[in-house]
């Protein structure tokens, strides 16, 4: 079977990897090249954690994905996963972290429940304020995202995937799609097409996906600890999530800075034309730093990124057949948490493409509403 995949982000590249492994001929196209800076997968780092509240499917996919990421890195570059651990900081009444605790226990995933006293003694550089307990996942950590996708695509090319740097035009018609057309007028035929175009999906399929996938502007800030201060780097500090304040962070890895960002949807963003200079969130993040990491409150901002989430109404991914083009699959809606799941998503999509069938209800187009009501984090 010949398959064309449009989009060499995390979802498209892993789909290519699994499809070539099952004997398909695969062409992987990207408008700006794999792991480009505009792609959601083009950020420096992404968390991989197992906790997902009561959403067990994502916990299982995360575990399966970490296994597959590690297997890729064992044969390519073992430095692309950092086992920093992930700390979920919680307040007294915290339904999400309480549900996470139960799911991790049920799934047999290594974790610790830490009291306030344990937190203070392990991480004195954090001011826990109103936080009273936490869940710690020692085996989770940080993926070096941009480099990981570039490595994955090189690896897939080694197995026969053909990468093409080209932008695909909006596909038209009904029934079956015979070929995609690039911006230069070249046509590429295939039996099946997978569109894994992240925040660009609504541009390619406006009638179907306008307002069903909403790109939001997300700032990521990197602050520099003082010279010689190792308290804000790994291994002194894990990656962490402060769900109550919608903030998360990654410890300084190799002098790249202490990463911190809001996990709260920013304004709607144009992934092609939007400028990517951060600044809007700096005052609010500094205020947070002053409370939670007081010794970083005056730290210099040494780098920043602007990236976009591609949000579905509730945070569930979109994985479905196009309703009018029977050999076209739509894959995306990573909604700020998709990167870690690339391996499992790719495996799932590859199985649908080769074996047929339908995706789970939660991933279908019909489940995507046009009003944002986030339930998956
Ligand atoms: C700031 C930020 C922090 C995040 N943190 C985390 C995290 O900690 N953990 C986590 O798991 N996830 C996280 N995510 C989410 C995660 O990064 C995304 O869900 C995931 O990368 C989406 O991958 P994708 O392959 O769907 O899209 P993308 O990576 O955007 O890839 C889509 C690709 O399609 C290409 N394309 C688009 N249109 C065309 C066209 N017409 N022709 C050819 N190519 C085209 C683009 O160039 C692009 O390369 C975060 C996202 C952001 C923005």
């Amino acid at each position: 079977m010949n398959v064309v995949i449009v989009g060499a982000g995390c979802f498209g590249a892993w789909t290519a990897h699994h499809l070539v492994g099952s004997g398909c001929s695969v062409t992987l196209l990207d408008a700006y090249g794999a792991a480009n800076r505009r792609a959601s997968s083009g950020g420096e780092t992404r968390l991989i954690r197992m906790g997902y509240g009561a959403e067990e499917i994502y916990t299982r996919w995360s575990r399966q994905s970490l296994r597959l990421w590690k297997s890729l890195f064992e044969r390519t570059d073992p430095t692309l996963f950092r086992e920093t651990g992930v700390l979920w900081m919680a307040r007294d009444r915290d339904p999400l972290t309480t549900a996470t605790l139960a799911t991790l226990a049920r799934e047999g995933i290594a974790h610790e429940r830490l009291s306030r006293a344990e937190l203070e003694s392990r991480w004195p550089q954090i001011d826990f304020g109103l936080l009273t307990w936490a869940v710690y996942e020692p085996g989770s950590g940080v993926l070096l995202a941009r480099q990981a996708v570039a490595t994955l695509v090189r690896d897939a090319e080694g197995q026969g995937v053909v990468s093409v740097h080209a932008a695909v035009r909006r596909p038209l018609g009904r029934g079956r799609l015979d070929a995609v057309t690039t911006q230069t007028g070249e046509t590429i035929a295939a039996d099946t097409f997978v569109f894994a175009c992240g925040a660009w999906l609504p541009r390619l399929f406006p009638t179907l996906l306008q307002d069903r996938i909403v790109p939001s502007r997300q700032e990521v800030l990197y602050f520099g600890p003082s010279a010689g201060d190792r308290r804000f780097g790994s291994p002194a500090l894990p990656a962490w999530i402060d769900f109550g304040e919608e903030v998360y962070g990654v410890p300084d890895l190799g002098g790249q800075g202490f990463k911190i960002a809001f996990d709260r949807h920013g304004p709607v963003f144009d992934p092609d034309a939007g400028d990517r200079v951060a600044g809007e969130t700096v005052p609010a993040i500094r205020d947070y730093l002053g409370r939670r990491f007081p010794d970083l409150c005056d730290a210099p901002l040494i780098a920043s990124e602007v990236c976009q989430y591609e949000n579905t109404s509730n945070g569930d991914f979109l994985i479905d057949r196009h309703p009018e083009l029977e050999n076209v699959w739509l894959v995306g809606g990573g909604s700020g948490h998709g990167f870690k799941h690339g391996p499992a998503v790719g495996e799932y999509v590859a199985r649908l493409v080769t074996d047929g069938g339908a995706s789970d209800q939660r991933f279908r187009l019909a489940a995507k509403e046009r009003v944002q009501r986030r339930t998956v984090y």
Side-chain angles (χ1 to χ4, degrees):
M1 183 192 282
N2 287 312
V3 185
V4 160
I5 300 171
V6 184
C10 182
F11 285 177
W14 272 107
T15 303
H17 166 92
H18 289 294
L19 281 172
V20 79
S22 53
C24 295
S25 292
V26 180
T27 305
L28 179 62
L29 293 125
D30 200 289
Y32 297 110
N36 67 82
R37 265 199 190 282
R38 286 176 168 108
S40 298
S41 308
E44 287 302 314
T45 54
R46 296 288 182 254
L47 294 192
I48 181 159
R49 35 111 179 160
M50 308 291 128
Y52 261 93
E55 306 282 356
E56 276 184 29
I57 183 165
Y58 291 111
T59 295
R60 290 199 203 105
W61 275 15
S62 218
R63 175 171 54 191
Q64 163 71 349
S65 292
L66 183 54
R67 200 179 62 69
L68 291 170
W69 280 118
K70 282 181 172 171
S71 137
L72 167 71
F73 299 154
E74 268 161 28
R75 58 174 196 278
T76 54
D77 180 353
T79 67
L80 297 179
F81 170 62
R82 306 292 170 88
E83 198 178 85
T84 59
V86 172
L87 183 68
W88 287 76
M89 305 195 273
R91 286 157 200 250
D92 268 348
R93 285 189 192 180
D94 189 321
L96 185 87
T97 316
T98 305
T100 290
L101 192 62
T103 308
L104 296 179
R106 221 172 17 249
E107 292 293 320
I109 291 168
H111 66 281
E112 294 169 50
R113 187 197 191 287
L114 300 173
S115 66
R116 171 68 180 247
E118 288 167 316
L119 290 169
E120 284 174 356
S121 99
R122 263 165 96 159
W123 295 292
Q125 65 277 55
I126 306 179
D127 180 341
F128 289 95
L130 297 174
L131 302 164
T132 48
W133 62 288
V135 173
Y136 181 58
E137 300 178 12
S140 297
V142 180
L143 298 157
L144 302 199
R146 180 180 57 76
Q147 295 181 58
V149 173
T151 300
L152 170 64
V153 170
R154 272 197 305 277
D155 188 67
E157 287 167 351
Q159 294 173 52
V161 169
V162 176
S163 290
V164 180
H165 184 158
V168 166
R169 289 190 194 151
R170 190 177 293 171
L172 301 170
R174 299 169 84 95
R176 275 187 79 76
L177 185 66
D178 296 321
V180 286
T181 307
T182 69
Q183 87 284 8
T184 55
E186 189 193 348
T187 57
I188 304 173
D191 304 309
T192 303
F193 298 83
V194 176
F195 285 83
C197 306
W200 291 263
L201 276 171
R203 299 226 162 138
L204 285 156
F205 303 97
T207 320
L208 283 185
L209 297 179
Q210 201 63 48
D211 302 327
R212 284 199 166 114
I213 291 190
V214 181
S216 62
R217 182 181 185 282
Q218 305 298 142
E219 293 195 352
V220 175
L221 308 177
Y222 293 82
F223 289 91
S226 344
D229 186 351
R230 293 187 302 197
R231 293 173 301 152
F232 300 99
S234 181
L237 194 70
W240 53 273
I241 302 164
D242 186 345
F243 186 71
E245 301 231 23
E246 299 175 296
V247 184
Y248 67 95
V250 169
D252 183 293
L253 299 172
Q256 298 309 298
F258 171 92
K259 169 175 163 177
I260 181 165
F262 283 116
D263 180 30
R264 156 187 318 162
H265 295 175
V268 172
F269 188 65
D270 179 333
D272 285 307
D275 280 332
R276 293 175 188 262
V277 180
E280 284 168 23
T281 61
V282 173
I285 288 285
R286 272 210 187 277
D287 174 69
Y288 178 85
L289 276 180
R291 287 183 286 116
R292 189 71 74 228
F293 297 91
D295 291 344
L296 285 179
C297 79
D298 295 321
L301 178 64
I302 58 171
S304 63
E305 295 167 355
V306 173
C307 194
Q308 70 279 331
Y309 286 175
E310 55 301 301
N311 305 298
T312 60
S313 49
N314 75 339
D316 270 326
F317 303 150
L318 167 66
I319 304 174
D320 202 357
R321 213 183 271 275
H322 189 295
E324 288 162 4
L325 291 165
E326 65 195 50
N327 58 338
V328 169
W329 288 89
L330 306 171
V331 177
S335 307
H337 71 102
F339 190 87
K340 68 180 81 55
H341 296 291
V345 168
E347 198 168 43
Y348 186 82
V349 174
R351 202 161 41 238
L352 288 168
V353 167
T354 53
D355 300 355
S359 57
D360 289 31
Q361 182 59 36
R362 70 188 307 155
F363 300 127
R364 292 203 205 142
L365 191 56
K368 310 298 164 223
E369 293 170 16
R370 293 185 192 267
V371 177
Q372 296 280 314
R373 263 185 233 104
R374 192 173 177 190
T375 56
V376 178
Y377 290 88

